[in-house]
Amino acid sequence: MTTDPRTAGGRALFAAALPVAAMALFVLAAWYAGAVWLNAPQAADALTRAGAEWSFADLVRQTLAMKRPILPTPDQVAVDLHQSLTGYPVTHIRNLLYHTGVTAGSALTGFAMGVVLGVALAAGIVQVRTLEASLLPWVIASQTIPILAIAPMIVVILGNLGFTGLLPKAVISMYLCFFPITIGMVKGLRSADPLTLDLMRTYSAGTARTFLLLRLPASLPFLFASLKVAIAASVVGAIVGELPTGGQAGLGARLLSGSYYGQTVQIWSALVMSALLSVGLVLLVGLAERALVRGPGATR
């Protein structure tokens, strides 16, 4: 008996989607429960001041409908997102897509700088043995400095040099994302088959030719795994870089203004958009990986 491929494909899709849907429902239920729990003290005070008798059901309804809750509900965040995305032009400062575009520009610029720096450092560490002992420990030590401590210093130093706007935020993103690229690329460049390396030496292939024809292709699966981590870290770096600059645009500025004015729904909307931005960028890196990487270790 033959099985219809469409039926088999539908079953496989259902089996893959069921755990994701179950986890999403669990997260939503936990989110609503957390909103009721955290908002309950304020809601109880409001009902008591109203002077009327109230029940537990009244308390729950009040916790889910507060204008400035401690923890907004998913539907409040969804409504705020919808109003922001559809109620204003894309270029308007109240539209979250505008802020997302500003943050994405800083993140992608820093990511590109981190890729160049990380690949260059990895190539030097692999090709020059002295650099492994002298440079690699400093690369690792650089990540022991908290980004919240170094971000204001980068902004101040570059500001005194006349660099403001995009560059300081991009440098902070680069600082966060170059490390996983460097470590992953070092591992990848060293993953080339030793027998193939001996064969290249037998053919009298130079260092540059061996690097381009053997080491670099072998490193691509490791590189793309690192890029997925780095692209998400670059978004975090861009948002952190927007906090000390006092800018008016970007998801970090949106988070900062929301905290100043107690707009928790606005804060959570910006957080959701930053998560969606990170997921979208990681998916783009995954698509590039599927297009470029073939062989062992590739994602299918």
Side-chain angles (χ1 to χ4, degrees):
M1 183 178 63
T2 60
T3 302
D4 189 348
R6 290 175 295 181
T7 303
R11 290 176 179 174
L13 181 61
F14 177 78
L18 183 59
V20 177
M23 181 56 67
L25 290 175
F26 174 77
V27 170
L28 286 175
W31 191 342
Y32 275 108
V36 171
W37 176 46
L38 293 175
N39 298 332
Q42 288 185 347
D45 289 341
L47 291 172
T48 302
R49 286 196 302 268
E53 294 185 0
W54 50 273
S55 63
F56 179 74
D58 296 325
L59 177 65
V60 171
R61 282 193 294 268
Q62 182 71 14
T63 59
L64 300 180
M66 296 174 62
K67 291 184 177 180
R68 292 191 176 183
I70 300 298
L71 177 62
T73 59
D75 58 281
Q76 289 177 312
V77 175
V79 169
D80 186 74
L81 279 172
H82 182 265
Q83 292 176 347
S84 175
L85 298 177
T86 62
Y88 306 94
V90 176
T91 56
H92 197 279
I93 196 169
R94 289 185 177 274
N95 194 313
L96 267 177
L97 283 179
Y98 169 75
H99 295 281
T100 304
V102 173
T103 300
S106 303
L108 290 174
T109 303
F111 175 70
M113 295 165 60
V115 170
V116 173
L117 178 61
V119 171
L121 289 175
I125 290 171
V126 171
Q127 297 294 336
V128 183
R129 192 171 295 272
T130 305
L131 291 180
E132 180 178 3
S134 61
L135 184 59
L136 188 58
W138 288 103
V139 171
I140 297 173
S142 68
Q143 301 304 299
T144 62
I145 305 175
I147 188 61
L148 290 176
I150 199 173
M153 293 189 292
I154 293 176
V155 172
V156 170
I157 291 173
L158 292 180
N160 288 332
L161 295 176
F163 299 104
T164 58
L166 176 68
L167 186 60
K169 296 181 288 185
V171 170
I172 295 170
S173 292
M174 179 193 69
Y175 173 80
L176 279 183
C177 70
F178 90 93
F179 177 74
I181 296 174
T182 302
I183 299 302
M185 195 65 177
V186 168
K187 180 68 174 178
L189 291 173
R190 288 176 172 167
S191 66
D193 185 10
L195 294 179
T196 310
L197 284 172
D198 291 339
L199 183 62
M200 295 291 285
R201 296 190 191 97
T202 302
Y203 290 153
S204 300
T207 301
R209 193 172 183 83
T210 302
F211 181 88
L212 292 175
L213 297 180
L214 181 59
R215 290 190 183 275
L216 189 59
S219 70
L220 288 181
F222 297 86
L223 174 62
F224 276 101
S226 301
L227 291 181
K228 292 176 183 178
V229 177
I231 194 70
S234 70
V235 175
V236 176
I239 293 175
V240 171
E242 290 166 352
L243 299 180
T245 59
Q248 300 299 315
L251 293 175
R254 191 75 170 171
L255 290 170
L256 203 58
S257 65
S259 65
Y260 281 158
Y261 299 106
Q263 298 290 341
T264 52
V265 179
Q266 175 182 314
I267 294 174
W268 278 84
S269 298
L271 288 174
V272 170
M273 284 301 295
S274 66
L276 293 176
L277 174 61
S278 298
V279 170
L281 293 177
V282 171
L283 289 177
L284 288 178
V285 173
L287 291 176
E289 180 184 15
R290 288 178 177 272
L292 297 176
V293 178
R294 297 290 183 268
T299 302
R300 297 296 181 186

